Amino acid sequence: MIKQSLSLYLYPLFAVPSSQTFLKGETEPYYHKGNTDRHSASGMHTTPRCQDIKYRVYGTDIYASFSSVCSAAIHRSAALNYRDTPVQNYNSSVEGHWLWSLLNPAWSLQIGLQATILIEKKAVAMSVGEALPLSLLFPVSDCKVDLAFLIDGSWSIGKRRFQIQKQFLSDVAQALDVGVAGPLMGIVQYGDDPSTEFNLKTHANSRDVKNAIEKIPQKGGRSNVGKALSFVNKNFFLDTTGNRGGAPNVAIVLVDGWPTDKVEEASRLARESGINIFFVTIEGADENEKQNVIEPNFVDKAVCRTNGFYSINVPSWFNLRKVVQTLVKRVCDTDRLACSKTCLNSADIGIVIDGSSSVGTGNFRTVLQFVANISKEFEISDTDTRIGAVQYTYEQRLEFGFDKHSTKQDVLNAIKRINYWSGGTSTGAAINYASEQLFSKSKPNKRKIMILITDGRSYDDVRVPAMTAHQNGVIAYSVGIAWAAQDELESIATDPDKEHSFFVDEFDHLYRFVPRIIQNICTDCFVSL
């Protein structure tokens, strides 16, 4: 049990010039997440007095001499270094939730802290020398990502803001808990030209990453973000630099204001290579500067258009540390990364629809709704996902090609307009036709995905056409309904069959497969990167 008493030993360390402890003109607070929940992972409990408004804390790491001692201890947190020592002179705990820290130019004294905590029969030493790992404050799990930070080293950012940026990187590294079994992190600094500060395999833990970050000097130059993205796409996520293959590739771009070159094309090419791109933009161009902006709304053009998931705007550098938790959660959402629009952006999807007489008009409309529901999940444009459709009986008909519709609404409208044909069932010939009329015209950097839907056994052979399609790089999904033959569905589907072939007894149950098909398409994309 943790004893319910508290004893802190405090002592002044040294005076520091105010220029080392705040940025000129700063009046806004730094914020450590206002969470009043008890922190069970650290074995801490709440000290109510520290929640009182008069117990304020000023500063971060270095605190004003008039700060509340107990609040400063809480704000700084402290590493738990377990020691097998006799139980004596023990103390119970310090506060486990987080506080506002206010900036004030008047401080001149740093507050230090030492305390010991008894947990069961072990004494736990606490000191400000090593802060409580942010991975405990922002707990994440299963966060195996390969992460590149593109940091702004341009002269426009200034020396002080560059230091804030480095502190932010250190906070993120600690919150992620960098390690070989989890996230790996490297940094590219950009100015006129980008350069790698360290790559994925250079440092295997958060402490080494933080030490390396502290040593990064500012490059200077302009803010050539597009050039930096091209550099990362070609040079960063390589086997030789530590890319693990089985982990999502993530690039986080920090931008002060606006880029001095174009980013849309470079970002699109990087996303098509499988890189999940996040933008963290701080401040922005004022009215006098907007005339110099080369690419207005560059973030909207550079990231996947998914309701702001891949972009975070911070109105002031003073607020940058507020977004640590938000960014870490998004970066570690590996399910969403694996099924992100990065994967879905880079696909040409050909839908092959059985229009035979056994389907019937009503069921055919159900099939079209199923196709529409799948299509809705993709980001559709000339440079993102493209969708084409073929209907077949004994014969085949191209309903629309990949280059016909460039918006999601146009695709959905085109699906709705497909007229039921009626006839026999020559599925093998339909696969050959789709290969010739759709996938032969697929772009080289697009993943080729075929989704074939049928309700019966084919009158011709499906094995050879399917094998040819697979050899030409087509990932094939088969969806069978009612009288469809299981052996044919498995022959059509890409291996492993169980991930690419589906069977349902009724047309009305097709909708159940939409999430599984989408997830499997994402997994295929992720594995093949």
Side-chain angles (χ1 to χ4, degrees):
M1 294 291 293
I2 299 176
K3 304 299 182 181
Q4 303 300 311
S5 63
L6 172 66
S7 175
L8 302 177
Y9 299 93
L10 300 151
Y11 53 92
L13 296 182
F14 51 83
V16 292
S18 60
S19 62
Q20 293 183 21
T21 58
F22 68 97
L23 298 178
K24 184 177 180 180
E26 285 185 359
T27 57
E28 300 186 44
Y30 278 174
Y31 178 65
H32 281 223
K33 178 69 174 175
N35 187 340
T36 57
D37 294 339
R38 296 182 180 183
H39 199 299
S40 59
S42 64
M44 297 180 178
H45 75 278
T46 299
T47 305
R49 281 198 344 152
C50 292
Q51 299 180 52
D52 194 296
I53 192 170
K54 68 182 179 180
Y55 292 93
R56 297 191 180 212
V57 56
Y58 294 79
T60 299
D61 295 335
I62 298 177
Y63 298 95
S65 57
F66 46 81
S67 294
S68 158
V69 167
C70 121
S71 295
I74 298 162
H75 183 269
R76 185 65 176 89
S77 299
L80 301 180
N81 300 307
Y82 290 85
R83 298 175 182 173
D84 291 316
T85 58
V87 177
Q88 57 183 1
N89 298 326
Y90 59 77
N91 308 288
S92 70
S93 75
V94 291
E95 178 111 340
H97 72 270
W98 310 325
L99 300 173
W100 285 89
S101 173
L102 307 175
L103 288 174
N104 189 301
W107 69 64
S108 61
L109 196 63
Q110 181 177 18
I111 294 176
L113 162 70
Q114 284 187 336
T116 58
I117 301 175
L118 179 69
I119 298 181
E120 294 179 341
K121 293 185 179 181
K122 288 189 176 181
V124 180
M126 303 182 64
S127 80
V128 290
E130 294 179 282
L132 181 69
L134 291 178
S135 56
L136 291 181
L137 301 182
F138 307 124
V140 295
S141 61
D142 300 324
C143 185
K144 187 176 181 180
V145 296
D146 289 343
L147 174 63
F149 264 98
L150 283 67
I151 65 171
D152 191 341
S154 64
W155 291 130
S156 64
I157 195 175
K159 293 183 179 180
R160 295 295 182 190
R161 288 175 173 81
F162 188 73
Q163 288 301 118
I164 293 176
Q165 183 177 216
K166 292 203 298 183
Q167 182 58 54
F168 174 73
L169 295 176
S170 295
D171 289 345
V172 172
Q174 197 169 359
L176 285 168
D177 193 19
V178 170
V180 292
L184 292 179
M185 178 174 167
I187 291 179
V188 170
Q189 183 181 173
Y190 66 88
D192 288 332
D193 295 297
S195 60
T196 300
E197 299 293 343
F198 55 87
N199 60 39
L200 294 168
K201 69 177 183 180
T202 306
H203 303 296
N205 60 68
S206 297
R207 179 177 295 181
D208 289 347
V209 168
K210 290 179 66 177
N211 290 337
I213 290 170
E214 290 174 5
K215 298 174 184 177
I216 295 176
Q218 187 175 2
K219 288 173 63 71
R222 295 167 295 175
S223 298
N224 288 335
V225 176
K227 201 170 186 178
L229 283 167
S230 296
F231 175 85
V232 167
N233 189 22
K234 296 175 182 177
N235 302 290
F236 190 87
F237 294 106
L238 306 175
D239 294 343
T240 54
T241 60
N243 183 40
R244 291 174 287 184
N249 293 161
V250 179
I252 300 174
V253 187
L254 275 72
V255 182
D256 172 43
W258 73 97
T260 51
D261 64 351
K262 292 185 177 182
V263 302
E264 181 181 9
E265 179 69 8
S267 181
R268 180 182 65 80
L269 292 174
R271 285 189 284 116
E272 288 183 350
S273 297
I275 302 172
N276 295 270
I277 296 176
F278 290 80
F279 265 74
V280 179
T281 53
I282 307 100
E283 299 182 358
D286 61 29
E287 290 301 321
N288 294 327
E289 296 168 328
K290 285 182 178 178
Q291 61 183 357
N292 299 318
V293 176
I294 294 176
E295 197 170 35
N297 303 318
F298 66 92
V299 173
D300 294 337
K301 298 176 180 179
V303 301
C304 301
R305 293 174 285 282
T306 54
N307 301 320
F309 181 80
Y310 290 94
S311 60
I312 299 174
N313 178 255
V314 185
S316 166
W317 280 95
F318 309 126
N319 301 111
L320 185 57
R321 296 180 79 176
K322 292 183 182 181
V323 304
V324 170
Q325 185 180 24
T326 299
L327 183 61
V328 166
K329 284 184 176 179
R330 294 186 188 182
V331 167
C332 290
D333 190 350
T334 51
D335 284 342
R336 188 159 183 177
L337 294 181
C339 198
S340 71
K341 295 302 186 280
T342 294
C343 289
L344 305 185
N345 277 344
S346 54
D348 278 346
I349 302 177
I351 313 292
V352 182
I353 306 169
D354 184 350
S356 62
S357 302
S358 58
V359 174
T361 303
N363 288 333
F364 189 77
R365 305 316 300 177
T366 301
V367 170
L368 293 185
Q369 185 59 57
F370 172 69
V371 172
N373 289 341
I374 290 175
S375 302
K376 286 176 184 177
E377 297 296 320
F378 294 84
E379 201 68 40
I380 295 172
S381 75
D382 289 334
T383 57
D384 297 320
T385 292
R386 304 188 306 169
I387 292 180
V390 166
Q391 184 181 177
Y392 75 94
T393 58
Y394 284 128
E395 301 177 278
Q396 307 82 36
R397 182 168 74 197
L398 179 66
E399 300 292 353
F400 54 90
F402 292 136
D403 58 353
K404 183 67 173 179
H405 304 294
S406 58
T407 70
K408 184 178 296 187
Q409 193 56 54
D410 284 348
V411 167
L412 296 179
N413 290 339
I415 292 169
K416 187 183 298 185
R417 291 194 298 267
I418 295 175
N419 293 317
Y420 176 48
W421 203 355
S422 186
T425 309
S426 293
T427 306
I431 294 172
N432 281 332
Y433 183 85
S435 296
E436 295 169 1
Q437 298 299 317
L438 283 176
F439 295 110
S440 65
K441 301 174 183 178
S442 184
K443 292 184 178 180
N445 60 344
K446 298 289 187 183
R447 304 183 206 289
K448 296 181 283 190
I449 297 171
M450 179 175 70
I451 302 175
L452 186 143
I453 307 160
T454 182
D455 80 326
R457 181 174 288 277
S458 177
Y459 294 158
D460 61 358
D461 176 62
V462 301
R463 291 172 297 175
V464 173
M467 186 180 300
T468 301
H470 299 164
Q471 291 171 347
N472 289 330
V474 175
I475 299 172
Y477 288 80
S478 58
V479 181
I481 310 125
W483 302 280
Q486 186 64 41
D487 60 327
E488 289 187 349
L489 296 177
E490 293 175 358
S491 295
I492 294 167
T494 296
D495 290 331
D497 299 338
K498 64 179 181 179
E499 302 296 333
H500 297 87
S501 64
F502 304 87
F503 178 83
V504 64
D505 55 355
E506 296 182 15
F507 284 87
D508 288 342
H509 294 164
L510 272 173
Y511 71 93
R512 298 176 181 174
F513 287 138
V514 172
R516 285 181 58 191
I517 290 174
I518 295 299
Q519 183 61 48
N520 288 0
I521 287 173
C522 296
T523 303
D524 279 334
C525 165
F526 180 50
V527 169
S528 65
L529 294 179

